[in-house]
């Protein structure tokens, strides 16, 4: 579903992504971990072309992401994205945050879009906040709205860019619960996170990145119990020791 | 000081005629410069190729010239090259061009102040760049622009008095004529004109505060 083949990315002289090869199957949950600045978020953002690649091939849902002929909006409507800072639209109520893209991009009627929105709001457990403005919600609630907003487009893939990093500790759980449920339903997910517990429990595959490279990828049991690479071992010993 | 003489019915009517011209010119220039300023501001914000650098030059050129020069230019220089227009049109044209340059910068700044993350969220949900501008950036940007825009409109209304130099029969111009009828009229007339300008502009400020309190 997502295929990186020898993808390179440079920011000027800075080599952000180095020969990335990554293949994500339908229904798979891939969790990407690694130190800050390792290129995990950049790699994720290449998938829906929030970042462009310098060379290599990247296909998503059989579309060549960086082909000029590719209709980028068509590609993006099948890829939901959840951001670290939620990025809800502060001037719109929760329900309108969710219905905007389904109405404008998918061409749903307002009623249909609102019905879908309410379905997903219920699913993430905050249907009672539909008429509220984002600023009236807690961080955890805002992030759940953001997930509902992504889901309302009925995407084939959901991307999560450090979805719990900006949350107070007591709100991390509610967001991870929603993501866990989503994974169980078979959504194709790529998750960049520092939540090792989530990676261990939910991931089909864990990817470890460092300095722009994929250093190691493995199933979670093996990844956490017996990492092959020294860099992975060092990283894990740092993040798991506390 | 001859208040009764200065405030004779004929003089009051004459001053109100001046106010009428002031308001007409200001209103027309506010509407036109707002539209033009929004267009230029959006072009600058979205960095439209070719157009955006041209608009940058236009904005910088106009911003750094005195309005008085612009009024003189449109009224006296343009007819020399065959572009003739009436007094009121000339005043509206000068004010519109001048204020549009100011408003373009306010608009560009307002749009640029909208958080990038929301634009990414909108784009990644499949909205086009125009839809993102229309539904996400403009509504928020416009609200933030209200206070500086109203300040600019208040300046504009006061700047209409500069058209006195081309004998536009606006409030300040007519006040000068009333004062010309007798030196005892000077203080009463200027006080009345001050009250009129203040009242109109203060009402604009009140509207601005109301709009601001509605924004988030």
């Amino acid at each position: 579903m997502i295929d990186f083949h020898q993808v390179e990315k440079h920011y000027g002289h800075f080599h952000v992504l180095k020969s990335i090869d990554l293949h994500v199957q339908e229904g798979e949950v891939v969790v990407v971990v690694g130190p800050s600045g390792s290129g995990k978020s950049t790699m994720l953002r290449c998938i829906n072309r929030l970042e462009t690649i310098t060379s290599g091939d990247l296909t998503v849902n059989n579309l060549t992401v960086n082909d000029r002929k590719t209709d980028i909006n068509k590609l993006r409507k099948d890829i939901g994205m959840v951001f670290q800072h939620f990025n809800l639209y502060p001037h719109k109520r929760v329900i309108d945050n969710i219905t905007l893209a389904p109405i404008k991009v998918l061409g749903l009627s307002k009623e249909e879009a609102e019905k879908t929105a309410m379905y997903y709001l219920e699913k993430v457990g905050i249907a009672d906040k539909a008429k509220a403005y984002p600023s009236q919600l807690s961080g955890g609630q805002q992030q759940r709205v953001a997930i509902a907003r992504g889901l309302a487009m009925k995407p084939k893939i959901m991307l999560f860019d450090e979805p719990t990093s900006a949350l107070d500790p007591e709100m991390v759980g509610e967001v991870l619960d929603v993501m866990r449920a989503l994974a169980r339903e078979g959504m194709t997910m790529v998750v960049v996170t520092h939540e090792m517990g989530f990676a261990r429990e939910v991931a089909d595959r864990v990817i470890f990145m460092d300095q722009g490279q994929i250093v190691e990828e493995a199933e979670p049991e093996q990844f956490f119990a017996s990492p092959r690479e020294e860099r992975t071992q060092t990283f894990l010993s740092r993040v798991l020791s506390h | 000081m001859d208040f009764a003489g200065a405030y004779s019915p004929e003089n009051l009517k004459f001053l109100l005629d001046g106010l009428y011209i002031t308001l007409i010119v200001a209103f027309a220039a506010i509407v036109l410069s707002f539209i033009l300023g929004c267009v230029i501001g959006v072009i600058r914000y979205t960095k439209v190729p070719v157009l955006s650098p041209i608009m940058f030059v236009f904005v910088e050129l106009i911003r750094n010239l005195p309005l008085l020069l612009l009024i003189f230019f449109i009224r006296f220089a343009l007819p020399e090259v065959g572009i003739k227009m009436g007094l009121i049109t000339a005043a509206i044209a000068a004010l519109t061009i001048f204020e549009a340059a100011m408003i373009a910068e306010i608009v560009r700044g307002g749009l640029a102040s909208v958080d990038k993350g929301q634009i990414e969220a909108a784009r990644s949900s499949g909205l086009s760049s125009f839809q993102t501008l229309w539904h996400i950036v403009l509504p928020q940007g416009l609200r933030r622009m209200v206070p500086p825009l109203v300040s600019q409109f208040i300046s504009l209304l006061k700047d209409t008095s500069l058209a006195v130099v081309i004998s536009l029969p606006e409030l300040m111009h007519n006040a000068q004529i009333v004062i010309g009828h007798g030196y005892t009229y000077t203080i009463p007339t200027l006080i009345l004109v001050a009250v009129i300008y203040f009242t109109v502009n203060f009402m604009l400020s009140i509207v601005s505060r109301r709009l601001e309190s509605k924004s988030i």
Side-chain angles (χ1 to χ4, degrees):
Chain A
M1 237 181 167
I2 303 173
D3 293 287
F4 284 76
H5 180 68
Q6 291 294 306
V7 167
E8 308 274 346
K9 179 171 177 63
H10 298 262
Y11 276 127
H13 290 298
F14 184 47
H15 202 167
V16 206
L17 296 178
K18 296 171 188 161
S19 49
I20 298 289
D21 277 297
L22 174 69
H23 307 282
V24 181
Q25 308 293 321
E26 188 166 355
E28 210 180 359
V29 177
V30 172
V31 173
V32 186
V33 301
S36 305
S38 58
K40 344 180 261 302
S41 286
T42 307
M43 182 177 81
L44 188 79
R45 290 159 58 86
C46 286
I47 297 173
N48 64 355
R49 213 166 89 183
L50 284 182
E51 304 280 352
T52 54
I53 61 175
T54 312
S55 65
D57 293 314
L58 173 54
T59 46
V60 176
N61 291 328
N62 301 318
L63 291 168
T64 311
V65 176
N66 284 74
D67 190 338
R68 275 173 179 275
K69 278 175 272 175
T70 302
D71 180 350
I72 189 64
N73 298 325
K74 192 171 157 239
L75 172 85
R76 283 172 174 165
K77 75 179 168 58
D78 289 324
I79 309 172
M81 186 153 190
V82 175
F83 300 85
Q84 182 177 354
H85 297 287
F86 332 133
N87 297 351
L88 296 180
Y89 315 130
H91 62 301
K92 289 182 178 292
R93 297 175 307 164
V94 162
I95 184 95
D96 302 321
N97 260 274
I98 301 176
T99 57
L100 179 68
I103 292 173
K104 298 297 167 190
V105 180
L106 302 181
L108 295 192
S109 72
K110 194 161 183 275
E111 294 72 41
E112 283 175 286
E114 286 187 349
K115 229 175 94 190
T116 315
M118 288 312 296
Y119 171 78
Y120 286 108
L121 275 178
E122 247 153 62
K123 200 164 166 164
V124 300
I126 35 174
D128 55 321
K129 300 288 185 191
K131 302 268 192 286
Y133 281 90
S135 58
Q136 297 166 311
L137 306 184
S138 72
Q141 290 171 328
Q142 290 194 45
Q143 195 60 298
R144 285 186 282 152
V145 171
I147 294 173
R149 179 172 69 176
L151 292 175
M153 290 295 284
K154 305 212 164 76
K156 298 190 177 112
I157 300 168
M158 282 291 283
L159 308 177
F160 293 84
D161 189 3
E162 302 200 20
T164 56
S165 299
L167 294 177
D168 290 337
E170 76 268 23
M171 293 171 185
V172 169
E174 63 192 66
V175 171
L176 292 181
D177 283 343
V178 170
M179 292 169 63
R180 210 172 275 131
L182 200 56
R184 234 178 274 127
E185 287 166 23
M187 175 63 79
T188 310
M189 293 164 64
V190 183
V191 184
V192 171
T193 187
H194 295 291
E195 296 294 330
M196 295 303 147
F198 177 82
R200 194 195 300 254
E201 181 196 344
V202 181
D204 295 311
R205 205 145 41 102
V206 181
I207 308 279
F208 173 67
M209 282 184 79
D210 191 22
Q211 294 177 359
Q213 287 171 311
I214 293 181
V215 175
E216 180 160 357
E217 53 177 296
E219 291 186 1
E221 300 87 70
Q222 196 210 323
F223 182 85
F224 288 103
S226 50
R228 283 191 314 272
E229 302 289 329
E230 203 189 318
R231 275 195 276 179
T232 319
Q233 290 160 7
T234 318
F235 174 75
L236 285 178
S237 70
R238 279 193 198 130
V239 293
L240 296 178
S241 63
H242 53 258
Chain B
M1 271 184 273
D2 180 3
F3 280 88
Y7 297 169
S8 73
E10 304 86 71
N11 283 350
L12 288 182
K13 168 149 192 324
F14 192 57
L15 288 177
L16 285 181
D17 287 345
L19 175 64
Y20 177 71
I21 297 291
T22 293
L23 291 180
I24 293 278
V25 169
F27 181 75
I30 283 175
V31 172
L32 294 174
S33 65
F34 180 65
I35 295 169
L36 188 60
C38 278
V39 170
I40 298 173
V42 169
I43 288 173
R44 296 272 296 123
Y45 170 75
T46 52
K47 302 197 174 71
V48 179
V50 189
L51 275 182
S52 179
I54 293 175
M55 291 306 147
F56 170 74
V57 173
F58 168 80
V59 168
E60 287 306 317
L61 179 71
I62 299 298
R63 280 212 303 176
N64 293 301
L65 294 176
L67 174 56
L68 203 52
L69 179 78
L70 215 58
I71 295 173
F72 269 127
F73 186 83
I74 288 182
R75 178 64 184 154
F76 301 121
L78 287 187
E80 304 249 332
V81 292
I83 304 171
K84 294 192 175 114
M85 52 183 101
L87 259 184
I88 292 186
T89 320
I92 292 173
L95 284 165
T96 298
I97 291 171
F98 185 77
E99 302 295 334
M102 308 294 184
I103 289 169
E105 281 300 287
I106 295 175
V107 170
R108 190 186 62 79
L111 297 179
S113 76
V114 175
D115 170 34
K116 270 239 164 85
Q118 290 175 47
I119 299 169
E120 287 188 345
R123 291 310 307 276
S124 63
S125 70
L127 292 172
S128 69
S129 52
F130 179 77
Q131 286 172 323
T132 303
L133 180 70
W134 190 253
H135 295 288
I136 306 303
V137 181
L138 270 178
Q140 295 182 69
L142 277 175
R143 276 181 212 188
R144 275 175 224 180
M145 288 171 217
V146 168
L149 277 178
V150 172
S151 296
Q152 197 59 43
F153 293 153
I154 289 174
S155 291
L156 188 157
L157 204 137
K158 292 185 292 184
D159 286 347
T160 55
S161 61
L162 287 174
V164 80
V165 299
I166 56 169
S167 302
L168 179 76
E170 44 72 60
L171 183 55
M172 210 52 219
H173 175 267
N174 288 9
Q176 280 186 330
I177 291 175
V178 171
I179 290 166
H181 290 320
Y183 72 95
T184 51
Y185 292 178
T186 308
I187 291 176
T189 308
L190 289 182
I191 289 175
L192 182 59
V193 168
V195 168
I196 294 173
Y197 274 119
F198 179 84
T199 309
V200 173
N201 284 323
F202 192 64
M203 283 185 331
L204 270 176
S205 304
I206 290 172
V207 172
S208 157
R209 288 226 180 83
R210 286 203 147 180
L211 284 171
E212 260 179 85
S213 64
K214 272 188 196 163
S215 43
I216 31 168

